[in-house]
Each structure stands twice: as structure tokens, then as C-alpha cells.
Amino acid sequence: MIRSAICFLLVLSPALWAATKPNVLLICVDDLKPVLGCYGDKLVKSPNIDRLAKRGTVFENAYCNQAVCSPSRNALMTGLRPQSLGIYELATNFRKSAPDAVTLSQHFIANGWRAEGLGKIFHVGHGNVNDEASWSVPHFSPKTISYALKENNPPESTREQALFENKKEAWKLPRGAPTESADVQDNRYGDGMIADEAIKRLEAAKQKPDEPFFLAVGFLKPHLPFVAPKKYWDLYDPASFKLPELQKAPEGAPEFAPSSWGELRQYKDVPDKGPVTKEQAIHLIHGYHAATSYMDAQLGKVLDALDANGFGENTIIVFWGDHGWHLGDHGMWCKHTNYEQAAHIPVLVAAPGVAGGQRTQALIETCDIYPTLAELAGTPAPKQGDGRSFASVLKNPATSVRDHSIHVYPRGEGRIGRAIRTQRHRLVEWKRPGEAPDTAILELYDYEADTAESKNLAAEQPEIVAKMRALLAQHPEAKPQISNKPGAKKEESKKPKSKQDRGKMFDGRDQNKDGQLSKEEFLLNQPDPDEAPKRFPKFDTDGSGMLSREEFIKSGKK
């Protein structure tokens, strides 16, 4: 009789039924490396991330699936690695490869949740678009690139903002400032606007107790440009910042493995080639920290609103950085590599019934978050994906569901670097998909002996290489990058080449938006594919193996 009464109440009371379902707060942060207090950093000011760490579990060995925005976010939202989708750049939408994929938020919608997205969740821009099917209501997002100071706001927009808005001929616009410190309120910049909107959504959710929410909040900072209200810059003494000791690529590394950090070179006062000055480097490091502290403060407001509206006890919180960032180490900036500083990410998870203040050495990948959230929320396991749920690790942080993680990065001429990371080592195998294993160029690093990755050990430690390649052999071959554009029309190839046309052609071929063309990118959509490879050396006037915009435009006019 009692059991029948309980069942009757559950049927008649949606609010009581919904209360058994946890809410989900997914915090996505752009370009955030684990330079945080909860990861042991003594300089950064990250009090709100640190208090979330005390509330949940810190994953000390979390890795992205590729150190660039769109593929990394595809892995989060579909559970599919870049090498499974065949998408390694910004422009190609994941539905080009997997049109019927059920995204993480769609999975929750199908199981009774209301899904709302704010800020940067999917990568939008550089030719890519949002996935509206993933949200119960229209997605909310302020401008990705914003400045408060008049001198940094040209009337025709900046190059980077135009790229994020999918505007044509963005290369013709002025370069934006790489940093800004303005004495303004937090919501003058994008992350403050996103936090304000998240607070409104949480207050509205309180009025709908019969509908559990999946709220994805995507903060924009510390992505370039490093803009933040002055008070966050003032948290730091510039004299406290030091340059990394290692200022060169690892000894013995392939010449194509490092990044040329073309993303940063899109901003004004940054040289097109060669290093920044020491003063610029210190200022950029300062800016990264200021932008991190600014984002941290916005997170604090959202966490306060979560608790103030009574959701703290029944909400799963996941805090995730999409990839790391080179902050001058190896003489590099930005992401776009397979090295530790680019691939290592922060992940914090708090969930009802799970102890707080935990730390774990368990290896996890971004694609693991989808099945983990599904299990924690009591929904069916997703039907697609490469991930493994690590929900069991939250119960016992001494355990692990993986003995290695895998991530990738493409690097010219069709090469894809597949990287295996264990607790101690990383192996990178560079080769073209489908080619024989013995054609590969290898990198090996030992993080117990050499945390800075100063030397490639592959030639010196063949036994370790063999063991790591055996792990790599457990994974399918990487798919080559799928085509995002139709083939060039013959009549187009007959048009006279103007400077404007050459610039558009450069932008269309620059798939990873690093400001340079690899040979593979140069050959995209060439009307004479048999002859085009012979032209590349003639265009490459400095013999670097990469084409600058100037080389591409000027050589094409000869």
C-alpha cells in the first residue's frame, strides 16, 4: 500500500519527480591551462576556482583531445575524438562528419532536462557555426573579441573579431590590441555579461522546479586578447613574473612539431616572425594572469547564484578548460602543439553524494566527460563516442579507468601527430594517415626525468618507444581531414588574380588560422593538382617550409 502511494505521488507530482534528477552546470573556459591555485601555482589569484576544487575533485592528469578550440569542443560535446571525426581545424562543423550525432546537451534534453547555452561552448567563427539543435532555447553569446577603450575599437571592427563573426576579407581589417586594462565594471567585457546572464537563468530556473536544467556556461577568457578590468591587472606586480627557462624547442624534435604561434601574430605590435621582446613577454604573462583572475571572479558570481537559488545540493558541476597554452615556454605562445603545456587541462568535478576536497592522478580525456555526466545523472550511456566514464574515480580517487590518454595535432603535408600520454611518458607519432608505421617520425619525453621536455628521447630509448607504440596500436588510424568546401570551379581558375583575390585565397587555405600556409594547405583546391606541388618551393622564398601571407600574395602575381 505504501509503495503504491509513493508511485502515485511520483506520477502526479512532476516537481517531486524532477527533484530526483540532478541539475548540471557545465563551465567551459577558453585557453585555460592549469595555472591555478588548486593545481599548486603560488602566483595566480584564482580563489573561486579553488573553492570549487574544495567542493569537488581535482583531476591532475586531464588532457584535451586536441589543443585547438573547435576539435576540443567537438570532443566534449559529442564524445568523439578529432581523429574519429576527421576534423582538426576551426572551419569544419562536426555535423559535416557526424550529421546524426547526439550532442551532450541533446542527450540531456532527450532525457527530460532543459538545456541552455551561454558564451563559448561550440566554436563559432572562422567559418564554423553554432549547433542550435543542441539547446532548448536560443544560445546566448556576447562579442567574442571586445575592447572598452576607444583607441582599441576601430569603427570597422578588428581582424580577429571579424574572423569570429565569419565576415569575409577579415585580413583587410586592422589588427586588434593583444591586451587591455580599463577602469570599467566587470560586465563591460564579455565574461561579465555571460555571468550576469547565467545568474538570470538560475533565478528563472528556481521558478521551474519541475524541470531540471543543463546549463552550459562558456567563459571567453583567458583567450586572447588579454582584456580585463584594471582591478584584475592590479592584483599582480609585473616584477613577479619570470620567463620560462627553456626558450627553444626540444633538442632532436622534428622541425615541424613546434608552433609558430600565428594566432598571437594576428595582433598589433607582435612581430610577423621571430620572438617578442622580454618586455612584451612579461606583459603577455601578466595579461594572461589578469584575464584568468577576471574569469575566476565571474565564476564566483555564478557559483554564488547557484547556491543562493537552492541548487547547490542537487547540481553536478563540471569545470573544464578546452586546452592549455604556451606561455613563453620553448619560446612559444598559444596552443597548437602536442606538448604538455598545450595538452594538459584543468578539470574539476563536484557531484551530489561525492566527497569534496579530493585529488586524483587518474588519466582522463575531454571525450570522457560526456559518458561521465550521463552516468552521474542516471541517464542511459551515450550510443556514440570514444570516451569512458570516470564516475567510479569520484568514489575512489585512487583508481583509474585508463592507463593512457591520446591526443592529436596535424602539422602540414597531411601529417597527423598522434600522442600517447601515460603517467610518465609521452610518445608522438607523426605520419600521414594510412602510411606504414615505419614512415613515422617519433618524439618521446620522460616527465619524471625532464618535466620541461628539453630533449626528444625517441632514438635513445627504443624499448620505451616500443611499449608506447603498442598502446598507440590499440587505437584506430586517424582519419584525414574531411573536406569542408567543394572543389574549385574551372572558370574560377581563369579569373585574373588581384591582390584582394590572393588574400581571400590565403584565408580560405589557412585552415588552422596560424597566419601561414603549410604545403598541404597551399595545395587545397588547386585547379592543377599535378603541377601545383612544383610551385610551392618557388613561393617559399625564405625556405622555411611555410608560406607567409606576403609570400603567397607576391609570388602568385609573378
Side-chain angles (χ1 to χ4, degrees):
M1 184 68 181
I2 294 176
R3 180 178 296 175
S4 298
I6 291 174
C7 292
F8 179 74
L9 285 172
L10 288 174
V11 170
L12 291 186
S13 175
L16 185 59
W17 175 73
T20 65
K21 291 187 172 185
N23 301 300
V24 177
L25 176 62
L26 175 63
I27 304 292
C28 304
V29 187
D30 210 355
D31 284 15
L32 181 68
K33 63 193 299 177
V35 177
L36 302 166
C38 57
Y39 280 86
D41 191 89
K42 303 299 184 185
L43 187 59
V44 74
K45 306 295 190 297
S46 55
N48 296 291
I49 299 172
D50 299 343
R51 70 171 161 121
L52 177 57
K54 294 178 181 177
R55 183 174 184 159
T57 301
V58 177
F59 284 80
E60 297 184 332
N61 287 312
Y63 291 89
C64 67
N65 289 112
Q66 187 184 331
V68 68
C69 295
S70 189
S72 177
R73 290 163 185 272
N74 291 342
L76 174 74
M77 294 300 289
T78 69
L80 292 164
R81 297 180 178 121
Q83 59 267 41
S84 296
L85 287 169
I87 298 174
Y88 308 94
E89 34 81 294
L90 300 180
T92 306
N93 190 272
F94 73 92
R95 293 207 183 273
K96 179 82 173 180
S97 173
D100 299 323
V102 177
T103 65
L104 174 57
S105 48
Q106 281 182 303
H107 178 80
F108 275 84
I109 291 171
N111 285 281
W113 275 257
R114 176 183 176 87
E116 303 182 27
L118 316 178
K120 187 171 180 180
I121 307 301
F122 292 100
H123 181 87
V124 177
H126 302 86
N128 212 331
V129 295
N130 193 19
D131 188 62
E132 296 299 339
S134 290
W135 311 112
S136 303
V137 296
H139 182 270
F140 169 87
S141 185
K143 288 178 66 175
T144 302
I145 308 294
S146 61
Y147 299 99
L149 299 178
K150 184 178 180 179
E151 59 265 32
N152 290 331
N153 276 300
E156 67 273 39
S157 186
T158 64
R159 180 180 301 182
E160 280 295 290
Q161 180 58 33
L163 288 171
F164 280 104
E165 293 177 351
N166 290 325
K167 291 183 178 178
K168 296 181 179 180
E169 299 185 348
W171 63 273
K172 298 174 70 175
L173 296 173
R175 300 171 189 250
T179 66
E180 182 179 271
S181 172
D183 192 5
V184 295
Q185 297 296 314
D186 286 7
N187 59 8
R188 178 61 180 80
Y189 294 118
D191 279 355
M193 299 177 196
I194 292 167
D196 286 351
E197 185 65 25
I199 292 168
K200 292 178 184 178
R201 300 295 178 95
L202 289 169
E203 291 171 347
K206 188 177 181 179
Q207 309 306 315
K208 302 175 182 178
D210 58 337
E211 191 175 28
F213 64 78
F214 178 103
L215 180 61
V217 180
F219 289 121
L220 306 172
K221 299 304 158 189
H223 192 287
L224 282 166
F226 301 146
V227 302
K230 180 177 180 295
K231 62 184 176 181
Y232 298 104
W233 287 81
D234 291 345
L235 291 174
Y236 301 96
D237 176 4
S240 64
F241 296 112
K242 308 296 181 186
L243 294 179
E245 291 186 11
L246 187 62
Q247 289 288 305
K248 61 181 182 179
E251 179 185 343
E255 62 180 13
F256 53 77
S259 165
S260 58
W261 39 283
E263 179 185 12
L264 178 59
R265 298 187 194 277
Q266 292 294 315
Y267 290 86
K268 66 181 181 181
D269 301 325
V270 179
D272 290 335
K273 292 184 179 181
V276 294
T277 66
K278 180 179 179 181
E279 291 74 19
Q280 285 177 309
I282 293 298
H283 184 66
L284 288 168
I285 295 172
H286 186 178
Y288 186 90
H289 283 70
T292 297
S293 292
Y294 166 58
M295 175 276 299
D296 175 87
Q298 309 321 301
L299 170 66
K301 296 173 185 177
V302 175
L303 294 178
D304 289 345
L306 184 79
D307 293 336
N309 287 287
F311 297 123
E313 297 299 319
N314 192 41
T315 299
I316 303 166
I317 306 172
V318 173
F319 179 92
W320 168 81
D322 60 351
H323 43 69
W325 220 77
H326 289 287
L327 209 56
D329 64 282
H330 294 107
M332 292 189 288
W333 301 86
C334 309
K335 48 268 189 185
H336 310 115
T337 75
N338 270 323
Y339 294 124
E340 183 75 3
Q341 295 299 319
H344 190 202
I345 60 173
V347 172
L348 313 176
V349 181
V354 178
Q358 301 184 131
R359 311 185 73 83
T360 178
Q361 295 291 313
L363 285 158
I364 63 169
E365 304 174 16
T366 288
C367 64
D368 296 333
I369 290 174
Y370 188 158
T372 301
L373 272 173
E375 182 175 348
L376 290 173
T379 70
K383 295 180 180 179
Q384 88 219 355
D386 301 310
R388 297 180 183 177
S389 172
F390 54 78
S392 59
V393 177
L394 297 171
K395 297 292 185 181
N396 185 356
T399 62
S400 184
V401 297
R402 294 187 178 279
D403 60 2
H404 68 275
S405 62
I406 184 170
H407 56 89
V408 298
Y409 206 85
R411 190 68 87 210
E413 299 184 347
R415 292 190 194 93
I416 294 176
R418 295 193 298 160
I420 291 291
R421 180 65 158 94
T422 64
Q423 292 287 355
R424 180 169 178 173
H425 294 96
R426 173 180 282 109
L427 174 87
V428 186
E429 178 195 77
W430 294 97
K431 72 179 187 67
R432 297 171 184 83
E435 291 193 348
D438 60 6
T439 66
I441 299 172
L442 303 174
E443 294 180 84
L444 177 69
Y445 301 98
D446 181 341
Y447 295 94
E448 287 186 11
D450 180 18
T451 57
E453 298 165 320
S454 64
K455 186 178 182 181
N456 176 13
L457 303 172
E460 299 176 14
Q461 299 186 11
E463 293 182 1
I464 300 298
V465 167
K467 291 179 180 179
M468 297 291 285
R469 295 194 86 176
L471 296 176
L472 185 61
Q474 298 176 15
H475 297 270
E477 179 69 276
K479 292 181 180 178
Q481 170 67 42
I482 65 173
S483 174
N484 189 41
K485 298 178 181 179
K489 296 179 181 179
K490 291 183 178 179
E491 59 268 26
E492 290 179 346
S493 67
K494 298 177 182 178
K495 292 181 180 180
K497 301 294 191 297
S498 65
K499 182 177 181 180
Q500 177 178 329
D501 289 337
R502 299 294 301 172
K504 290 170 67 175
M505 292 167 65
F506 183 95
D507 289 336
R509 287 177 166 81
D510 186 15
Q511 293 193 321
N512 62 2
K513 305 304 176 187
D514 66 352
Q516 301 181 97
L517 296 186
S518 65
K519 186 175 181 180
E520 179 192 25
E521 290 172 322
F522 171 78
L523 296 176
L524 283 173
N525 298 331
Q526 291 281 4
D528 53 349
D530 293 331
E531 295 298 317
K534 301 175 185 177
R535 291 197 297 274
F536 185 84
K538 298 178 182 178
F539 279 53
D540 185 19
T541 56
D542 65 359
S544 67
M546 302 289 285
L547 302 185
S548 68
R549 175 181 290 278
E550 182 178 8
E551 287 175 322
F552 182 81
I553 292 174
K554 288 186 176 180
S555 297
K557 294 175 66 176
K558 294 177 181 178

